[in-house]
Amino acid sequence: MFDDISKESNAILISMYKRYLELRKVGEPRFNARYFGDAANLKEQTGIRLSDADITDIMRCLSEYGYVTCEYYDMEASEILLTEKAIAVCEHRFVNGLKAVAEALAVLKEFFP
């Protein structure tokens, strides 16, 4: 896990990276694999079970650390994009790929259905 962010933020960041790896593995272009849309789409794509308001708040935090970029419409995160920095940090953290990501997410299981 990343020491500079909360468990909830870790769960979302790692889940986003997992989805990115899965999409890249099947040949999805980098931009498409990094793009998550809005908070509701992010929840659907990652399986995180937090409210849209919590996702938006966490996106603000992850944005401050440079892990995501996003816009805010009607007080909700949208145009969410995993940054190159986040991918690089995750690549170094999870050198064993999807297996290591899955193990890290198992520790954070309370955030998933």
Side-chain angles (χ1 to χ4, degrees), residues 3-71:
D3 294 334
D4 57 350
I5 56 178
S6 69
K7 282 185 179 181
E8 290 173 321
S9 297
N10 266 283
I12 291 176
L13 180 60
I14 296 167
S15 296
M16 292 171 75
Y17 180 64
K18 178 179 183 262
R19 178 184 165 269
Y20 167 82
L21 288 179
E22 291 167 345
L23 291 175
R24 291 296 290 154
K25 187 175 182 178
V26 297
E28 193 69 32
R30 280 178 47 88
F31 180 83
N32 293 355
R34 294 173 44 222
Y35 182 74
F36 290 85
D38 62 15
N41 284 336
L42 186 142
K43 288 185 345 184
E44 182 180 317
Q45 294 169 17
T46 62
I48 292 286
R49 63 169 190 226
L50 295 171
S51 69
D52 289 356
D54 285 343
I55 297 285
T56 295
D57 186 59
I58 290 169
M59 288 301 108
R60 288 184 201 283
C61 172
L62 292 176
S63 179
E64 288 177 21
Y65 282 93
Y67 295 132
V68 301
T69 63
C70 61
E71 301 292 328

Side-chain angles (χ1 to χ4, degrees), residues 42 52 61 75 89 92 98 110:
L42 186 142
D52 289 356
C61 172
M75 302 296 290
V89 169
H92 292 291
L98 282 171
E110 73 256 27

Side-chain angles (χ1 to χ4, degrees), residues 2 13 17 67 84-94:
F2 301 95
L13 180 60
Y17 180 64
Y67 295 132
E84 184 68 22
K85 175 184 175 180
I87 293 167
V89 169
C90 288
E91 284 174 347
H92 292 291
R93 168 67 175 87
F94 303 113

Side-chain angles (χ1 to χ4, degrees), residues 66-82:
Y67 295 132
V68 301
T69 63
C70 61
E71 301 292 328
Y72 302 96
Y73 298 107
D74 293 329
M75 302 296 290
E76 183 178 308
S78 63
E79 304 300 318
I80 300 167
L81 188 67
L82 193 62

